[in-house]
Amino acid sequence: MKSSETKTDLSERKLKIVLEKSSTGYSAYAPEEEGIYTVGETYEEVKENIVEVIEFRTEYLEEMGNSAEAERLRNADIEYFLDIQQFFEQYSMLNKSEFANFIGMNPSMMRKISKGLVALSDAKARQIEEGLHRLAEDFSKVNFA
């Protein structure tokens, strides 16, 4: 981090996008930004659509003379958020019990959380996120002969 950058500067460069499954596909929106929302039939389509919406919003802000806001939005890092049930639906190839063992969580608790029977606490969310990131890092090092 540059010495002139503050934590506020870094958080302003992040754009939270919430992805939700609907009866017709998926929706996506930025809860902290006006005018950024879209739908799509597939998970990938809605992610592509949200990028287009952000581009359109940036152009609109520039046309309205708000170039600083447009620049902030243009340079923002997109962070996608799913609820835990949607995550395990989207990535159904993951065995919940084995993943729970991998991250040191009780498999029964993981199944209850993933079905919405038990609320996801902040601590459990961090544990799951950190485990997923560790798994992704492990996968990125795999090569086949």
Side-chain angles (χ1 to χ4, degrees):
M1 177 165 56
K2 297 176 190 169
S3 60
S4 62
E5 288 181 323
T6 65
K7 285 188 178 189
T8 305
D9 293 335
L10 292 175
S11 66
E12 287 179 4
R13 293 194 308 200
K14 295 184 186 224
L15 179 60
K16 178 180 181 178
I17 301 294
V18 177
L19 297 169
E20 296 180 341
K21 182 132 174 73
S22 69
S23 61
T24 58
Y26 292 88
S27 66
Y29 64 94
E32 296 151 2
E33 296 285 338
E34 183 180 335
I36 298 181
Y37 52 88
T38 190
V39 297
E41 290 182 17
T42 66
Y43 184 72
E44 289 307 316
E45 180 182 7
V46 79
K47 286 174 74 176
E48 290 171 10
N49 290 350
I50 201 71
V51 170
E52 281 186 26
V53 169
I54 293 167
E55 290 171 7
F56 291 140
R57 180 71 181 160
T58 301
E59 290 171 8
Y60 170 77
L61 289 168
E62 286 176 340
E63 288 173 9
M64 299 306 291
N66 195 342
S67 57
E69 184 66 16
E71 188 66 20
R72 182 193 63 78
L73 192 56
R74 180 180 293 109
N75 293 324
D77 294 324
I78 298 174
E79 291 187 329
Y80 292 102
F81 289 76
L82 292 168
D83 96 3
I84 194 78
Q85 290 173 272
Q86 291 172 21
F87 172 79
F88 280 107
E89 280 182 32
Q90 179 65 31
Y91 298 100
S92 59
M93 76 291 290
L94 288 177
N95 179 299
K96 296 173 199 171
S97 297
E98 291 301 320
F99 180 70
N101 287 328
F102 176 77
I103 65 171
M105 182 184 288
N106 179 300
S108 176
M109 176 61 71
M110 176 65 83
R111 287 189 300 273
K112 288 176 184 175
I113 290 171
S114 70
K115 291 180 180 176
L117 302 174
V118 172
L120 178 64
S121 68
D122 289 343
K124 292 289 185 199
R126 274 191 304 283
Q127 182 181 9
I128 293 168
E129 287 172 5
E130 288 170 3
L132 285 170
H133 298 167
R134 185 169 44 115
L135 182 61
E137 186 178 322
D138 289 354
F139 281 168
S140 72
K141 295 175 184 172
V142 172
N143 296 298
F144 297 104

